[in-house]
mmCIF file with all atom_site columns, all heavy atoms in Angstrom:
data_model
loop_
_atom_site.group_PDB
_atom_site.id
_atom_site.type_symbol
_atom_site.label_atom_id
_atom_site.label_alt_id
_atom_site.label_comp_id
_atom_site.label_asym_id
_atom_site.label_entity_id
_atom_site.label_seq_id
_atom_site.pdbx_PDB_ins_code
_atom_site.Cartn_x
_atom_site.Cartn_y
_atom_site.Cartn_z
_atom_site.occupancy
_atom_site.B_iso_or_equiv
_atom_site.pdbx_formal_charge
_atom_site.auth_seq_id
_atom_site.auth_comp_id
_atom_site.auth_asym_id
_atom_site.auth_atom_id
_atom_site.pdbx_PDB_model_num
ATOM 1   N N   . ARG A 1 9   ? 126.911 101.103 105.018 1.00 0.00 ? 121 ARG A N   1
ATOM 2   C CA  . ARG A 1 9   ? 125.608 100.442 105.064 1.00 0.00 ? 121 ARG A CA  1
ATOM 3   C C   . ARG A 1 9   ? 125.372 99.805  106.409 1.00 0.00 ? 121 ARG A C   1
ATOM 4   O O   . ARG A 1 9   ? 124.233 99.716  106.864 1.00 0.00 ? 121 ARG A O   1
ATOM 5   C CB  . ARG A 1 9   ? 125.536 99.370  103.973 1.00 0.00 ? 121 ARG A CB  1
ATOM 6   C CG  . ARG A 1 9   ? 125.512 99.929  102.547 1.00 0.00 ? 121 ARG A CG  1
ATOM 7   C CD  . ARG A 1 9   ? 124.231 100.768 102.292 1.00 0.00 ? 121 ARG A CD  1
ATOM 8   N NE  . ARG A 1 9   ? 123.027 100.080 102.651 1.00 0.00 ? 121 ARG A NE  1
ATOM 9   C CZ  . ARG A 1 9   ? 122.373 99.250  101.866 1.00 0.00 ? 121 ARG A CZ  1
ATOM 10  N NH1 . ARG A 1 9   ? 122.830 98.997  100.640 1.00 0.00 ? 121 ARG A NH1 1
ATOM 11  N NH2 . ARG A 1 9   ? 121.250 98.648  102.292 1.00 0.00 ? 121 ARG A NH2 1
ATOM 12  N N   . GLN A 1 37  ? 115.029 105.164 112.190 1.00 0.00 ? 149 GLN A N   1
ATOM 13  C CA  . GLN A 1 37  ? 113.979 104.150 112.143 1.00 0.00 ? 149 GLN A CA  1
ATOM 14  C C   . GLN A 1 37  ? 114.383 102.993 113.076 1.00 0.00 ? 149 GLN A C   1
ATOM 15  O O   . GLN A 1 37  ? 115.267 102.191 112.741 1.00 0.00 ? 149 GLN A O   1
ATOM 16  C CB  . GLN A 1 37  ? 113.757 103.640 110.725 1.00 0.00 ? 149 GLN A CB  1
ATOM 17  C CG  . GLN A 1 37  ? 112.572 102.696 110.620 1.00 0.00 ? 149 GLN A CG  1
ATOM 18  C CD  . GLN A 1 37  ? 112.274 102.280 109.184 1.00 0.00 ? 149 GLN A CD  1
ATOM 19  O OE1 . GLN A 1 37  ? 113.109 102.335 108.323 1.00 0.00 ? 149 GLN A OE1 1
ATOM 20  N NE2 . GLN A 1 37  ? 111.035 101.862 108.942 1.00 0.00 ? 149 GLN A NE2 1
ATOM 21  N N   . GLY A 1 42  ? 108.006 103.286 112.268 1.00 0.00 ? 154 GLY A N   1
ATOM 22  C CA  . GLY A 1 42  ? 108.219 104.083 111.103 1.00 0.00 ? 154 GLY A CA  1
ATOM 23  C C   . GLY A 1 42  ? 109.369 105.078 111.274 1.00 0.00 ? 154 GLY A C   1
ATOM 24  O O   . GLY A 1 42  ? 109.807 105.292 112.436 1.00 0.00 ? 154 GLY A O   1
ATOM 25  N N   . LEU A 1 45  ? 111.711 111.799 111.944 1.00 0.00 ? 157 LEU A N   1
ATOM 26  C CA  . LEU A 1 45  ? 112.589 112.838 111.461 1.00 0.00 ? 157 LEU A CA  1
ATOM 27  C C   . LEU A 1 45  ? 113.504 113.335 112.574 1.00 0.00 ? 157 LEU A C   1
ATOM 28  O O   . LEU A 1 45  ? 113.064 113.639 113.671 1.00 0.00 ? 157 LEU A O   1
ATOM 29  C CB  . LEU A 1 45  ? 111.775 114.020 110.950 1.00 0.00 ? 157 LEU A CB  1
ATOM 30  C CG  . LEU A 1 45  ? 112.573 115.214 110.402 1.00 0.00 ? 157 LEU A CG  1
ATOM 31  C CD1 . LEU A 1 45  ? 113.279 114.802 109.097 1.00 0.00 ? 157 LEU A CD1 1
ATOM 32  C CD2 . LEU A 1 45  ? 111.688 116.422 110.199 1.00 0.00 ? 157 LEU A CD2 1
ATOM 33  N N   . GLN A 1 48  ? 116.088 118.453 109.352 1.00 0.00 ? 160 GLN A N   1
ATOM 34  C CA  . GLN A 1 48  ? 115.792 118.829 107.957 1.00 0.00 ? 160 GLN A CA  1
ATOM 35  C C   . GLN A 1 48  ? 116.651 120.039 107.586 1.00 0.00 ? 160 GLN A C   1
ATOM 36  O O   . GLN A 1 48  ? 116.694 121.017 108.329 1.00 0.00 ? 160 GLN A O   1
ATOM 37  C CB  . GLN A 1 48  ? 114.326 119.193 107.797 1.00 0.00 ? 160 GLN A CB  1
ATOM 38  C CG  . GLN A 1 48  ? 113.944 119.695 106.420 1.00 0.00 ? 160 GLN A CG  1
ATOM 39  C CD  . GLN A 1 48  ? 112.486 120.183 106.344 1.00 0.00 ? 160 GLN A CD  1
ATOM 40  O OE1 . GLN A 1 48  ? 111.730 120.071 107.308 1.00 0.00 ? 160 GLN A OE1 1
ATOM 41  N NE2 . GLN A 1 48  ? 112.100 120.748 105.217 1.00 0.00 ? 160 GLN A NE2 1
ATOM 42  N N   . VAL A 1 55  ? 116.340 123.670 108.887 1.00 0.00 ? 167 VAL A N   1
ATOM 43  C CA  . VAL A 1 55  ? 114.925 124.071 108.937 1.00 0.00 ? 167 VAL A CA  1
ATOM 44  C C   . VAL A 1 55  ? 114.324 123.656 110.284 1.00 0.00 ? 167 VAL A C   1
ATOM 45  O O   . VAL A 1 55  ? 113.592 124.401 110.908 1.00 0.00 ? 167 VAL A O   1
ATOM 46  C CB  . VAL A 1 55  ? 114.122 123.468 107.774 1.00 0.00 ? 167 VAL A CB  1
ATOM 47  C CG1 . VAL A 1 55  ? 112.641 123.784 107.927 1.00 0.00 ? 167 VAL A CG1 1
ATOM 48  C CG2 . VAL A 1 55  ? 114.669 123.950 106.444 1.00 0.00 ? 167 VAL A CG2 1
ATOM 49  N N   . ASP A 1 56  ? 114.644 122.417 110.687 1.00 0.00 ? 168 ASP A N   1
ATOM 50  C CA  . ASP A 1 56  ? 114.064 121.889 111.934 1.00 0.00 ? 168 ASP A CA  1
ATOM 51  C C   . ASP A 1 56  ? 114.989 120.816 112.488 1.00 0.00 ? 168 ASP A C   1
ATOM 52  O O   . ASP A 1 56  ? 115.334 119.881 111.769 1.00 0.00 ? 168 ASP A O   1
ATOM 53  C CB  . ASP A 1 56  ? 112.654 121.304 111.646 1.00 0.00 ? 168 ASP A CB  1
ATOM 54  C CG  . ASP A 1 56  ? 111.893 120.957 112.920 1.00 0.00 ? 168 ASP A CG  1
ATOM 55  O OD1 . ASP A 1 56  ? 112.523 120.603 113.935 1.00 0.00 ? 168 ASP A OD1 1
ATOM 56  O OD2 . ASP A 1 56  ? 110.666 121.068 112.912 1.00 0.00 ? 168 ASP A OD2 1
ATOM 57  N N   . SER A 1 58  ? 114.287 119.913 115.911 1.00 0.00 ? 170 SER A N   1
ATOM 58  C CA  . SER A 1 58  ? 113.640 119.833 117.220 1.00 0.00 ? 170 SER A CA  1
ATOM 59  C C   . SER A 1 58  ? 113.647 118.424 117.797 1.00 0.00 ? 170 SER A C   1
ATOM 60  O O   . SER A 1 58  ? 113.548 118.229 119.009 1.00 0.00 ? 170 SER A O   1
ATOM 61  C CB  . SER A 1 58  ? 112.191 120.317 117.142 1.00 0.00 ? 170 SER A CB  1
ATOM 62  O OG  . SER A 1 58  ? 111.464 119.550 116.196 1.00 0.00 ? 170 SER A OG  1
ATOM 63  N N   . GLY A 1 97  ? 112.597 120.426 96.975  1.00 0.00 ? 209 GLY A N   1
ATOM 64  C CA  . GLY A 1 97  ? 112.506 121.541 97.921  1.00 0.00 ? 209 GLY A CA  1
ATOM 65  C C   . GLY A 1 97  ? 111.613 122.675 97.484  1.00 0.00 ? 209 GLY A C   1
ATOM 66  O O   . GLY A 1 97  ? 111.661 123.762 98.032  1.00 0.00 ? 209 GLY A O   1
ATOM 67  N N   . GLY A 1 99  ? 107.432 123.594 95.963  1.00 0.00 ? 211 GLY A N   1
ATOM 68  C CA  . GLY A 1 99  ? 106.075 123.050 95.874  1.00 0.00 ? 211 GLY A CA  1
ATOM 69  C C   . GLY A 1 99  ? 105.578 122.581 97.245  1.00 0.00 ? 211 GLY A C   1
ATOM 70  O O   . GLY A 1 99  ? 106.270 122.706 98.241  1.00 0.00 ? 211 GLY A O   1
ATOM 71  N N   . PRO A 1 101 ? 103.634 119.736 99.980  1.00 0.00 ? 213 PRO A N   1
ATOM 72  C CA  . PRO A 1 101 ? 104.008 118.383 100.455 1.00 0.00 ? 213 PRO A CA  1
ATOM 73  C C   . PRO A 1 101 ? 103.515 117.274 99.538  1.00 0.00 ? 213 PRO A C   1
ATOM 74  O O   . PRO A 1 101 ? 104.093 116.204 99.513  1.00 0.00 ? 213 PRO A O   1
ATOM 75  C CB  . PRO A 1 101 ? 103.310 118.313 101.810 1.00 0.00 ? 213 PRO A CB  1
ATOM 76  C CG  . PRO A 1 101 ? 102.207 119.305 101.762 1.00 0.00 ? 213 PRO A CG  1
ATOM 77  C CD  . PRO A 1 101 ? 102.745 120.416 100.908 1.00 0.00 ? 213 PRO A CD  1
ATOM 78  N N   . ASP A 1 104 ? 106.340 117.592 96.512  1.00 0.00 ? 216 ASP A N   1
ATOM 79  C CA  . ASP A 1 104 ? 107.790 117.586 96.774  1.00 0.00 ? 216 ASP A CA  1
ATOM 80  C C   . ASP A 1 104 ? 108.189 116.196 97.290  1.00 0.00 ? 216 ASP A C   1
ATOM 81  O O   . ASP A 1 104 ? 108.416 116.022 98.475  1.00 0.00 ? 216 ASP A O   1
ATOM 82  C CB  . ASP A 1 104 ? 108.110 118.684 97.783  1.00 0.00 ? 216 ASP A CB  1
ATOM 83  C CG  . ASP A 1 104 ? 109.601 118.911 97.889  1.00 0.00 ? 216 ASP A CG  1
ATOM 84  O OD1 . ASP A 1 104 ? 110.305 118.768 96.869  1.00 0.00 ? 216 ASP A OD1 1
ATOM 85  O OD2 . ASP A 1 104 ? 110.081 119.235 98.990  1.00 0.00 ? 216 ASP A OD2 1
ATOM 86  N N   . GLN A 1 106 ? 109.894 112.933 98.531  1.00 0.00 ? 218 GLN A N   1
ATOM 87  C CA  . GLN A 1 106 ? 111.140 112.608 99.200  1.00 0.00 ? 218 GLN A CA  1
ATOM 88  C C   . GLN A 1 106 ? 111.643 111.245 98.655  1.00 0.00 ? 218 GLN A C   1
ATOM 89  O O   . GLN A 1 106 ? 110.892 110.292 98.539  1.00 0.00 ? 218 GLN A O   1
ATOM 90  C CB  . GLN A 1 106 ? 110.916 112.494 100.710 1.00 0.00 ? 218 GLN A CB  1
ATOM 91  C CG  . GLN A 1 106 ? 110.612 113.815 101.370 1.00 0.00 ? 218 GLN A CG  1
ATOM 92  C CD  . GLN A 1 106 ? 110.608 113.729 102.889 1.00 0.00 ? 218 GLN A CD  1
ATOM 93  O OE1 . GLN A 1 106 ? 111.320 112.916 103.477 1.00 0.00 ? 218 GLN A OE1 1
ATOM 94  N NE2 . GLN A 1 106 ? 109.848 114.592 103.501 1.00 0.00 ? 218 GLN A NE2 1
ATOM 95  N N   . PHE A 1 108 ? 114.435 108.318 99.326  1.00 0.00 ? 220 PHE A N   1
ATOM 96  C CA  . PHE A 1 108 ? 115.197 107.787 100.426 1.00 0.00 ? 220 PHE A CA  1
ATOM 97  C C   . PHE A 1 108 ? 116.409 106.981 99.929  1.00 0.00 ? 220 PHE A C   1
ATOM 98  O O   . PHE A 1 108 ? 116.363 106.275 98.935  1.00 0.00 ? 220 PHE A O   1
ATOM 99  C CB  . PHE A 1 108 ? 114.360 106.880 101.309 1.00 0.00 ? 220 PHE A CB  1
ATOM 100 C CG  . PHE A 1 108 ? 113.366 107.616 102.145 1.00 0.00 ? 220 PHE A CG  1
ATOM 101 C CD1 . PHE A 1 108 ? 112.156 108.069 101.628 1.00 0.00 ? 220 PHE A CD1 1
ATOM 102 C CD2 . PHE A 1 108 ? 113.638 107.871 103.494 1.00 0.00 ? 220 PHE A CD2 1
ATOM 103 C CE1 . PHE A 1 108 ? 111.240 108.753 102.398 1.00 0.00 ? 220 PHE A CE1 1
ATOM 104 C CE2 . PHE A 1 108 ? 112.737 108.581 104.272 1.00 0.00 ? 220 PHE A CE2 1
ATOM 105 C CZ  . PHE A 1 108 ? 111.535 109.003 103.721 1.00 0.00 ? 220 PHE A CZ  1
ATOM 106 N N   . GLY A 1 109 ? 117.491 107.071 100.710 1.00 0.00 ? 221 GLY A N   1
ATOM 107 C CA  . GLY A 1 109 ? 118.613 106.226 100.524 1.00 0.00 ? 221 GLY A CA  1
ATOM 108 C C   . GLY A 1 109 ? 118.380 104.884 101.171 1.00 0.00 ? 221 GLY A C   1
ATOM 109 O O   . GLY A 1 109 ? 117.349 104.680 101.849 1.00 0.00 ? 221 GLY A O   1
ATOM 110 N N   . GLN B 2 37  ? 108.518 99.625  101.935 1.00 0.00 ? 333 GLN B N   1
ATOM 111 C CA  . GLN B 2 37  ? 109.947 99.504  102.304 1.00 0.00 ? 333 GLN B CA  1
ATOM 112 C C   . GLN B 2 37  ? 110.315 98.037  102.328 1.00 0.00 ? 333 GLN B C   1
ATOM 113 O O   . GLN B 2 37  ? 109.728 97.252  103.051 1.00 0.00 ? 333 GLN B O   1
ATOM 114 C CB  . GLN B 2 37  ? 110.214 100.144 103.673 1.00 0.00 ? 333 GLN B CB  1
ATOM 115 C CG  . GLN B 2 37  ? 111.686 100.165 104.078 1.00 0.00 ? 333 GLN B CG  1
ATOM 116 C CD  . GLN B 2 37  ? 111.913 100.886 105.385 1.00 0.00 ? 333 GLN B CD  1
ATOM 117 O OE1 . GLN B 2 37  ? 110.988 101.065 106.185 1.00 0.00 ? 333 GLN B OE1 1
ATOM 118 N NE2 . GLN B 2 37  ? 113.141 101.319 105.607 1.00 0.00 ? 333 GLN B NE2 1
ATOM 119 N N   . GLY B 2 40  ? 116.466 96.185  103.995 1.00 0.00 ? 336 GLY B N   1
ATOM 120 C CA  . GLY B 2 40  ? 117.738 96.754  103.556 1.00 0.00 ? 336 GLY B CA  1
ATOM 121 C C   . GLY B 2 40  ? 117.621 97.935  102.616 1.00 0.00 ? 336 GLY B C   1
ATOM 122 O O   . GLY B 2 40  ? 118.640 98.396  102.071 1.00 0.00 ? 336 GLY B O   1
ATOM 123 N N   . GLY B 2 42  ? 115.441 101.841 101.649 1.00 0.00 ? 338 GLY B N   1
ATOM 124 C CA  . GLY B 2 42  ? 114.621 102.937 102.182 1.00 0.00 ? 338 GLY B CA  1
ATOM 125 C C   . GLY B 2 42  ? 113.210 102.868 101.627 1.00 0.00 ? 338 GLY B C   1
ATOM 126 O O   . GLY B 2 42  ? 112.943 102.146 100.650 1.00 0.00 ? 338 GLY B O   1
ATOM 127 N N   . PRO B 2 43  ? 112.279 103.585 102.244 1.00 0.00 ? 339 PRO B N   1
ATOM 128 C CA  . PRO B 2 43  ? 110.892 103.586 101.747 1.00 0.00 ? 339 PRO B CA  1
ATOM 129 C C   . PRO B 2 43  ? 110.824 104.167 100.330 1.00 0.00 ? 339 PRO B C   1
ATOM 130 O O   . PRO B 2 43  ? 111.562 105.081 99.989  1.00 0.00 ? 339 PRO B O   1
ATOM 131 C CB  . PRO B 2 43  ? 110.178 104.508 102.750 1.00 0.00 ? 339 PRO B CB  1
ATOM 132 C CG  . PRO B 2 43  ? 111.035 104.531 103.948 1.00 0.00 ? 339 PRO B CG  1
ATOM 133 C CD  . PRO B 2 43  ? 112.430 104.394 103.452 1.00 0.00 ? 339 PRO B CD  1
ATOM 134 N N   . VAL B 2 50  ? 95.159  113.238 97.863  1.00 0.00 ? 346 VAL B N   1
ATOM 135 C CA  . VAL B 2 50  ? 95.022  114.628 98.315  1.00 0.00 ? 346 VAL B CA  1
ATOM 136 C C   . VAL B 2 50  ? 93.590  115.097 98.517  1.00 0.00 ? 346 VAL B C   1
ATOM 137 O O   . VAL B 2 50  ? 93.343  116.110 99.183  1.00 0.00 ? 346 VAL B O   1
ATOM 138 C CB  . VAL B 2 50  ? 95.709  115.603 97.349  1.00 0.00 ? 346 VAL B CB  1
ATOM 139 C CG1 . VAL B 2 50  ? 97.189  115.336 97.286  1.00 0.00 ? 346 VAL B CG1 1
ATOM 140 C CG2 . VAL B 2 50  ? 95.117  115.512 95.948  1.00 0.00 ? 346 VAL B CG2 1
ATOM 141 N N   . PRO B 2 92  ? 101.939 115.052 105.922 1.00 0.00 ? 388 PRO B N   1
ATOM 142 C CA  . PRO B 2 92  ? 102.800 116.210 106.057 1.00 0.00 ? 388 PRO B CA  1
ATOM 143 C C   . PRO B 2 92  ? 102.645 116.896 107.409 1.00 0.00 ? 388 PRO B C   1
ATOM 144 O O   . PRO B 2 92  ? 101.609 116.824 108.040 1.00 0.00 ? 388 PRO B O   1
ATOM 145 C CB  . PRO B 2 92  ? 102.317 117.139 104.928 1.00 0.00 ? 388 PRO B CB  1
ATOM 146 C CG  . PRO B 2 92  ? 100.883 116.785 104.750 1.00 0.00 ? 388 PRO B CG  1
ATOM 147 C CD  . PRO B 2 92  ? 100.806 115.304 105.034 1.00 0.00 ? 388 PRO B CD  1
ATOM 148 N N   . GLY B 2 95  ? 106.491 118.778 112.552 1.00 0.00 ? 391 GLY B N   1
ATOM 149 C CA  . GLY B 2 95  ? 107.710 119.327 113.145 1.00 0.00 ? 391 GLY B CA  1
ATOM 150 C C   . GLY B 2 95  ? 107.449 120.664 113.810 1.00 0.00 ? 391 GLY B C   1
ATOM 151 O O   . GLY B 2 95  ? 106.436 121.312 113.575 1.00 0.00 ? 391 GLY B O   1
ATOM 152 N N   . SER B 2 96  ? 108.394 121.126 114.603 1.00 0.00 ? 392 SER B N   1
ATOM 153 C CA  . SER B 2 96  ? 108.201 122.380 115.322 1.00 0.00 ? 392 SER B CA  1
ATOM 154 C C   . SER B 2 96  ? 108.251 123.570 114.388 1.00 0.00 ? 392 SER B C   1
ATOM 155 O O   . SER B 2 96  ? 107.713 124.632 114.700 1.00 0.00 ? 392 SER B O   1
ATOM 156 C CB  . SER B 2 96  ? 109.262 122.532 116.419 1.00 0.00 ? 392 SER B CB  1
ATOM 157 O OG  . SER B 2 96  ? 110.544 122.660 115.832 1.00 0.00 ? 392 SER B OG  1
ATOM 158 N N   . SER B 2 97  ? 108.910 123.419 113.267 1.00 0.00 ? 393 SER B N   1
ATOM 159 C CA  . SER B 2 97  ? 109.012 124.545 112.333 1.00 0.00 ? 393 SER B CA  1
ATOM 160 C C   . SER B 2 97  ? 107.741 124.728 111.538 1.00 0.00 ? 393 SER B C   1
ATOM 161 O O   . SER B 2 97  ? 107.565 125.752 110.870 1.00 0.00 ? 393 SER B O   1
ATOM 162 C CB  . SER B 2 97  ? 110.168 124.318 111.350 1.00 0.00 ? 393 SER B CB  1
ATOM 163 O OG  . SER B 2 97  ? 109.871 123.259 110.464 1.00 0.00 ? 393 SER B OG  1
ATOM 164 N N   . SER B 2 99  ? 107.035 123.094 108.971 1.00 0.00 ? 395 SER B N   1
ATOM 165 C CA  . SER B 2 99  ? 107.319 122.847 107.569 1.00 0.00 ? 395 SER B CA  1
ATOM 166 C C   . SER B 2 99  ? 106.393 121.733 107.044 1.00 0.00 ? 395 SER B C   1
ATOM 167 O O   . SER B 2 99  ? 106.410 120.617 107.555 1.00 0.00 ? 395 SER B O   1
ATOM 168 C CB  . SER B 2 99  ? 108.793 122.406 107.383 1.00 0.00 ? 395 SER B CB  1
ATOM 169 O OG  . SER B 2 99  ? 108.997 121.928 106.079 1.00 0.00 ? 395 SER B OG  1
ATOM 170 N N   . ALA B 2 100 ? 105.607 122.079 106.039 1.00 0.00 ? 396 ALA B N   1
ATOM 171 C CA  . ALA B 2 100 ? 104.672 121.096 105.516 1.00 0.00 ? 396 ALA B CA  1
ATOM 172 C C   . ALA B 2 100 ? 105.376 120.003 104.747 1.00 0.00 ? 396 ALA B C   1
ATOM 173 O O   . ALA B 2 100 ? 104.802 118.968 104.482 1.00 0.00 ? 396 ALA B O   1
ATOM 174 C CB  . ALA B 2 100 ? 103.663 121.786 104.633 1.00 0.00 ? 396 ALA B CB  1
ATOM 175 N N   . ARG B 2 101 ? 106.659 120.201 104.422 1.00 0.00 ? 397 ARG B N   1
ATOM 176 C CA  . ARG B 2 101 ? 107.373 119.172 103.661 1.00 0.00 ? 397 ARG B CA  1
ATOM 177 C C   . ARG B 2 101 ? 107.854 118.050 104.597 1.00 0.00 ? 397 ARG B C   1
ATOM 178 O O   . ARG B 2 101 ? 108.283 117.007 104.148 1.00 0.00 ? 397 ARG B O   1
ATOM 179 C CB  . ARG B 2 101 ? 108.547 119.755 102.888 1.00 0.00 ? 397 ARG B CB  1
ATOM 180 C CG  . ARG B 2 101 ? 108.140 120.723 101.795 1.00 0.00 ? 397 ARG B CG  1
ATOM 181 C CD  . ARG B 2 101 ? 109.215 120.851 100.742 1.00 0.00 ? 397 ARG B CD  1
ATOM 182 N NE  . ARG B 2 101 ? 108.984 122.057 99.968  1.00 0.00 ? 397 ARG B NE  1
ATOM 183 C CZ  . ARG B 2 101 ? 109.592 123.207 100.242 1.00 0.00 ? 397 ARG B CZ  1
ATOM 184 N NH1 . ARG B 2 101 ? 110.464 123.292 101.208 1.00 0.00 ? 397 ARG B NH1 1
ATOM 185 N NH2 . ARG B 2 101 ? 109.308 124.284 99.520  1.00 0.00 ? 397 ARG B NH2 1
ATOM 186 N N   . GLN B 2 102 ? 107.820 118.287 105.912 1.00 0.00 ? 398 GLN B N   1
ATOM 187 C CA  . GLN B 2 102 ? 108.190 117.220 106.820 1.00 0.00 ? 398 GLN B CA  1
ATOM 188 C C   . GLN B 2 102 ? 107.118 116.171 106.798 1.00 0.00 ? 398 GLN B C   1
ATOM 189 O O   . GLN B 2 102 ? 105.923 116.453 106.603 1.00 0.00 ? 398 GLN B O   1
ATOM 190 C CB  . GLN B 2 102 ? 108.372 117.765 108.227 1.00 0.00 ? 398 GLN B CB  1
ATOM 191 C CG  . GLN B 2 102 ? 109.517 118.688 108.370 1.00 0.00 ? 398 GLN B CG  1
ATOM 192 C CD  . GLN B 2 102 ? 109.642 119.243 109.772 1.00 0.00 ? 398 GLN B CD  1
ATOM 193 O OE1 . GLN B 2 102 ? 108.871 118.863 110.640 1.00 0.00 ? 398 GLN B OE1 1
ATOM 194 N NE2 . GLN B 2 102 ? 110.590 120.119 109.994 1.00 0.00 ? 398 GLN B NE2 1
ATOM 195 N N   . LEU B 2 103 ? 107.489 114.937 107.024 1.00 0.00 ? 399 LEU B N   1
ATOM 196 C CA  . LEU B 2 103 ? 106.562 113.839 107.060 1.00 0.00 ? 399 LEU B CA  1
ATOM 197 C C   . LEU B 2 103 ? 106.492 113.192 108.422 1.00 0.00 ? 399 LEU B C   1
ATOM 198 O O   . LEU B 2 103 ? 107.525 112.985 109.067 1.00 0.00 ? 399 LEU B O   1
ATOM 199 C CB  . LEU B 2 103 ? 106.949 112.772 106.033 1.00 0.00 ? 399 LEU B CB  1
ATOM 200 C CG  . LEU B 2 103 ? 106.823 113.147 104.564 1.00 0.00 ? 399 LEU B CG  1
ATOM 201 C CD1 . LEU B 2 103 ? 107.374 112.031 103.683 1.00 0.00 ? 399 LEU B CD1 1
ATOM 202 C CD2 . LEU B 2 103 ? 105.368 113.438 104.187 1.00 0.00 ? 399 LEU B CD2 1
ATOM 203 N N   . GLY B 2 106 ? 103.480 106.607 110.059 1.00 0.00 ? 402 GLY B N   1
ATOM 204 C CA  . GLY B 2 106 ? 102.907 105.603 110.929 1.00 0.00 ? 402 GLY B CA  1
ATOM 205 C C   . GLY B 2 106 ? 103.932 104.541 111.222 1.00 0.00 ? 402 GLY B C   1
ATOM 206 O O   . GLY B 2 106 ? 105.024 104.566 110.666 1.00 0.00 ? 402 GLY B O   1
#
Side-chain angles (χ1 to χ4, degrees):
Chain A
R121 292 295 309 274
Q149 186 175 23
L157 180 69
Q160 176 187 354
V167 175
D168 191 328
S170 59
D216 191 34
Q218 292 188 29
F220 286 81
Chain B
Q333 184 176 20
V346 296
S392 66
S393 70
S395 170
R397 294 202 199 96
Q398 293 179 4
L399 291 175

